[in-house]
Every structure is written in structure tokens, then in C-alpha cells.
Amino acid sequence: MSTDCLFCRIIDGDAPAEKVYEDDDVIAFRDIFPAAPTHCLIIPRKHINTLNDADESDTQVLGKLMLTASRLAKEAGIGESGYRVAMNCNRGAGQSVFHIHLHLLGGRQMKWPPG
């Protein structure tokens, strides 16, 4: 855990979040600046700054992020109509909180390229 990390503070209960799922490995909560009707962030409890900092020991939790996104999409009723999952890595890609997180977006038509 990193005491200066917003997401670590959410995990510890020291910062507010509208949680939609949590288990021993991951937490999911609504994005405070949603880019779609459904926009959740799914984070590992383990602090990993960026995807570049993950290693083989993180394989299971990285997979769990994806499976949690699928589960939440189905629960939100967007599993069949379609949804997007995205992870930004570093500032140039738009990462603003340096604790890896997967965005789950849906409930509207997604465009490509996302850009």
C-alpha cells in the first residue's frame, strides 16, 4: 500500500468511493468523472504503479481484473449489447492515478479509434 495513492486510500476506507464489487483481490467502484453511462474502475488491492511494473507474480490478479469486468458488465445489463475495457499506462496514455486500474465502459455506442 502507498499512503499517497488515492486508490490505496479507497482500499483502506480512508477515501470515499461508490463501490460496486469487492473481494480479497480486487475492488470496483464508479468513476467520479464517467465517460459512459456505465463507467467503473476495477483495481487490484495490491499496489502496482503501472502495467509496466507488473510481473509474473501478478498474472492471476491481472486476469481477475478482466473477469471482474465481464461479470460487472453482465450485472449492469451491457454484457450482450457491448462494453469496452481499457487500461492506460503512464501519463502519455492518460493514466492519472498511478495504481493500475481497468476501466469498464458501456451503455452507449463506443467509437473507434478511441483517441
Side-chain angles (χ1 to χ4, degrees):
M1 294 290 163
S2 173
T3 57
D4 60 341
C5 171
L6 172 61
F7 291 172
C8 287
R9 291 196 318 270
I10 289 171
I11 291 166
D12 289 342
D14 296 332
E18 186 180 343
K19 295 178 186 174
V20 295
Y21 178 80
E22 89 180 278
D23 65 25
D24 291 341
D25 303 309
V26 302
I27 294 179
F29 50 92
R30 299 200 188 284
D31 193 297
I32 60 171
F33 300 112
T38 297
H39 188 172
C40 297
L41 302 179
I42 306 160
I43 66 171
R45 287 184 181 274
K46 176 183 177 185
H47 181 89
I48 305 168
N49 283 330
T50 74
L51 189 55
N52 290 340
D53 298 304
D55 61 33
E56 292 294 321
S57 71
D58 299 312
T59 300
Q60 185 172 351
V61 76
L62 292 173
K64 190 150 188 191
L65 294 175
M66 296 299 282
L67 293 174
T68 301
S70 173
R71 174 185 179 164
L72 293 175
K74 290 173 190 168
E75 289 176 3
I78 59 172
E80 293 301 317
S81 60
Y83 59 95
R84 176 170 290 157
V85 292
M87 183 181 290
N88 302 323
C89 184
N90 284 321
R91 290 196 195 286
Q95 185 176 4
S96 59
V97 177
F98 285 82
H99 181 127
I100 64 169
H101 53 286
L102 191 66
H103 293 259
L104 167 64
L105 301 121
R108 68 168 174 80
Q109 182 65 46
M110 298 286 140
K111 298 191 185 310
W112 194 261

